[in-house]
């Protein structure tokens, strides 16, 4: 499911990197990744903590297999921040959540095979969609201050 605004954030990051020092790029990339993880995770509705604990960071591929329970999100965030901070300057950082129902939470609803609407209305605006818009605004403001 494509996340609204993700292409804009990616385009802004790519534009920013042209002509910048690799370490400066890495610092900004890590800051953005930490902020996306933090905001998306904190916006994730909590019942058992499985969806919140399902957020994960990988550096080699977009496959995250976290399935731990984490109602507060503190352990998930600490683990993710640690991985991001240890990443190499040119490494891709993947933020994902492979909990089976995460798309239902992101969309707010789903239509079953019988045409009935089911699912969660706990995050009707989504988690990532809002987070990407917020982080894009923060990033653009930071770039204006640097330029």
């Amino acid at each position: 499911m494509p996340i609204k605004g993700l292409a804009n954030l990616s385009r802004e990051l790519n534009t920013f990197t042209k002509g910048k020092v690799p370490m400066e790029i890495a610092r900004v990339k890590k800051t953005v990744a930490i902020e996306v993880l933090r905001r998306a995770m904190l916006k994730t509705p909590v019942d058992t903590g499985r969806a919140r604990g399902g957020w994960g960071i990988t550096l080699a591929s977009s496959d995250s297999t976290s399935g731990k329970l984490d109602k507060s999100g503190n352990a998930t965030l600490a683990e993710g921040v640690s991985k991001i901070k240890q990443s190499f300057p040119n490494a891709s950082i993947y933020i994902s959540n492979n909990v089976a129902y995460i798309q239902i939470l992101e969309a707010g609803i789903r239509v079953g095979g019988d045409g009935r609407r089911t699912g969660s209305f706990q995050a009707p605006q989504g988690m990532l969609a809002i987070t990407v818009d917020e982080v894009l605004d923060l990033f653009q403001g930071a770039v204006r201050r640097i330029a």
Side-chain angles (χ1 to χ4, degrees):
M1 170 175 69
I3 302 298
K4 180 181 163 250
L6 196 54
N8 288 339
L9 179 58
S10 180
R11 192 171 29 259
E12 290 287 332
L13 286 168
N14 286 333
T15 300
F16 171 74
T17 61
K18 290 183 178 29
K20 302 291 182 200
V21 177
M23 293 310 289
E24 182 181 353
I25 294 168
R27 182 183 54 78
V28 170
K29 179 175 66 173
K30 289 176 183 185
T31 300
V32 167
I34 289 169
E35 198 60 21
V36 168
L37 174 64
R38 185 183 72 77
R39 289 175 183 237
M41 188 204 54
L42 292 176
K43 286 177 180 62
T44 302
V46 178
D47 181 17
T48 64
R50 186 170 312 281
R52 189 169 275 184
W55 290 104
I57 298 292
T58 54
L59 303 175
S61 71
S62 61
D63 181 34
S64 171
T65 56
S66 178
K68 64 185 173 295
L69 300 180
D70 186 6
K71 283 188 175 189
S72 72
N74 292 336
T76 300
L77 183 59
E79 181 181 326
V81 168
S82 176
K83 285 183 181 179
I84 291 167
K85 286 183 175 181
Q86 292 174 20
S87 67
F88 292 107
N90 61 345
S92 294
I93 300 171
Y94 297 92
I95 302 170
S96 59
N97 190 321
N98 287 341
V99 172
Y101 52 89
I102 198 68
Q103 289 184 348
I104 296 168
L105 291 175
E106 178 67 29
I109 58 168
R110 73 173 174 174
V111 178
D114 59 0
R116 290 191 350 229
R117 293 173 77 132
T118 60
S120 171
F121 294 92
Q122 293 174 298
Q125 304 299 315
M127 295 90 58
L128 280 178
I130 294 171
T131 295
V132 167
D133 285 344
E134 291 172 351
V135 172
L136 179 58
D137 287 344
L138 289 172
F139 176 75
Q140 288 171 332
V143 168
R144 282 191 294 276
R145 286 191 297 277
I146 292 171

